[in-house]
Amino acid sequence: MSISEPLSAKNFSRLSAFVHDYSGIKMPANKRTMLEGRLRRRMRVHGLDDVNAYCRFIFDEGGLEAETIHLIDAVTTNKTEFFREPVHFEVLEKTILPQLVAAGRREIKVWSAACSTGAEPYTLAMVLDAFCDANRGLDYSILATDICTEVLAQAIAGRYTAGMIAPVPMAMRRRYVRQSKDPSHHEVRIAPALRSKIGFARLNLMDDAYPVQQDIDVVFCRNILIYFDKPTQGRVLTRLCHHLRPNGYLILGHSESIVGLDLPVRQVANTVFQKR
């Protein structure tokens, strides 16, 4: 069987159903070629010359249990950038954090629930650190989770290309980003003090319960719901709200909506919601 033989309809159906059931990610028919391409590396790891042989390996020959994490890593999309959708960080700095302080919060807890390679939680850490520095007596902690182990490893390392850091304001760059001592390395690293404020962990938003405290002040869950169908969105957001303290905040991506979902929140800004 040639390596160029396309993924069969049967095997695409099996893969898409498994990916959806496990991760919530929809795999419509127009993703078939993309899915096949992303599985090429896993085929090579197992010495398989065909994507259909890979499907037989995981579904018919007992390979699925050991392969699941690698399969999900391969199919997840991990687009991210520093200060992505910047208005959310403005709302955090100018509205949410002052309100939390006024309500008596002295340690602010934030959860980045789909953190990818770490740009979002490190952006949050920069904003929170600067705010706490200007408001003595405050502290903060950040939980950053993702289903993909590969992006979590990148996030923990905190290393990025110089180009990726470009959206970070210069004052924050000077304070929180370390340049390589070797000028030939076009790479930077987040400062150790900032990295120490973030706890990274693997978490599947499809799980029935999350091993997370129920006193979170702000949950960022941005640009992941677009990959879920409406019922899955409702279940995930209901569970996330369960971990917010009363009057805590839920922030979604600008292309996401809670229309049609019964959630214990009220809208306070564009895609920013407060728990009732």
Side-chain angles (χ1 to χ4, degrees):
M1 187 173 286
S2 169
I3 194 169
S4 63
E5 184 160 333
L7 180 64
S8 71
K10 174 186 174 182
N11 283 326
F12 174 73
S13 178
R14 292 204 286 182
L15 281 168
S16 59
F18 176 77
V19 169
H20 181 266
D21 290 346
Y22 184 89
S23 69
I25 297 171
K26 296 177 292 183
M27 281 285 166
N30 63 358
K31 299 290 186 183
R32 187 163 162 178
T33 300
M34 179 273 289
L35 178 60
E36 182 175 356
R38 291 190 176 186
L39 293 178
R40 293 290 181 194
R41 183 159 64 93
R42 297 310 304 167
M43 290 162 42
R44 291 193 293 269
V45 167
H46 293 288
L48 301 170
D49 61 0
D50 178 75
V51 68
N52 294 298
Y54 176 78
C55 290
R56 288 194 297 274
F57 164 67
I58 60 174
F59 292 122
D60 303 327
E61 299 170 5
L64 184 59
E65 182 176 356
E67 185 68 9
T68 292
I69 288 178
H70 304 296
L71 170 60
I72 296 301
D73 281 359
V75 302
T76 48
T77 299
N78 294 295
K79 174 178 167 51
T80 187
E81 58 192 50
F82 284 82
F83 285 91
R84 184 181 187 184
E85 299 179 353
V87 68
H88 287 149
F89 300 102
E90 294 175 15
V91 171
L92 177 68
E93 177 188 7
K94 297 176 180 178
T95 303
I96 294 176
L97 294 179
Q99 288 181 359
L100 291 173
V101 171
R105 296 290 291 139
R106 308 314 295 169
E107 182 184 356
I108 297 164
K109 297 182 180 181
V110 181
W111 179 9
S112 171
C115 72
S116 187
T117 57
E120 180 176 275
Y122 285 128
T123 300
L124 287 168
M126 292 177 190
V127 172
L128 285 160
D129 197 81
F131 185 86
C132 290
D133 190 58
N135 295 267
R136 297 295 183 180
L138 283 181
D139 198 4
Y140 72 96
S141 61
I142 298 171
L143 171 65
T145 63
D146 202 278
I147 194 173
C148 179
T149 58
E150 292 182 359
V151 298
L152 282 172
Q154 295 177 53
I156 291 168
R159 290 190 175 91
Y160 301 96
T161 63
M164 191 168 177
I165 293 293
V168 178
M170 186 56 69
M172 286 185 166
R173 225 181 296 177
R174 285 194 289 263
R175 183 172 181 178
Y176 299 121
V177 179
R178 299 290 178 262
Q179 303 290 329
S180 173
K181 294 179 181 178
D182 185 342
S184 67
H185 291 175
H186 302 290
E187 185 181 73
V188 299
R189 194 174 193 192
I190 303 300
L194 208 66
R195 298 201 312 271
S196 70
K197 301 296 289 187
I198 305 174
F200 290 98
R202 184 178 187 269
L203 185 142
N204 185 353
L205 291 172
M206 293 302 100
D207 289 347
D208 291 334
Y210 306 147
V212 176
Q213 293 176 327
Q214 296 175 12
D215 60 348
I216 305 296
D217 294 295
V218 187
V219 171
F220 272 63
C221 184
R222 304 187 307 161
N223 305 302
I224 183 66
L225 298 177
I226 55 175
Y227 299 106
F228 300 161
D229 57 29
K230 205 69 175 179
T232 303
Q233 292 176 6
R235 289 190 294 272
V236 168
L237 291 175
T238 296
R239 288 192 287 267
L240 290 176
C241 287
H242 182 67
H243 293 274
L244 279 173
R245 64 170 52 250
N247 298 313
Y249 294 85
L250 171 68
I251 300 179
L252 307 181
H254 283 324
S255 62
E256 296 167 328
S257 170
I258 66 167
V259 172
L261 300 178
D262 183 18
L263 299 172
V265 298
R266 64 184 184 91
Q267 186 165 355
V268 294
N270 183 27
T271 60
V272 178
F273 306 89
Q274 186 173 29
K275 187 174 179 179
R276 293 194 295 263

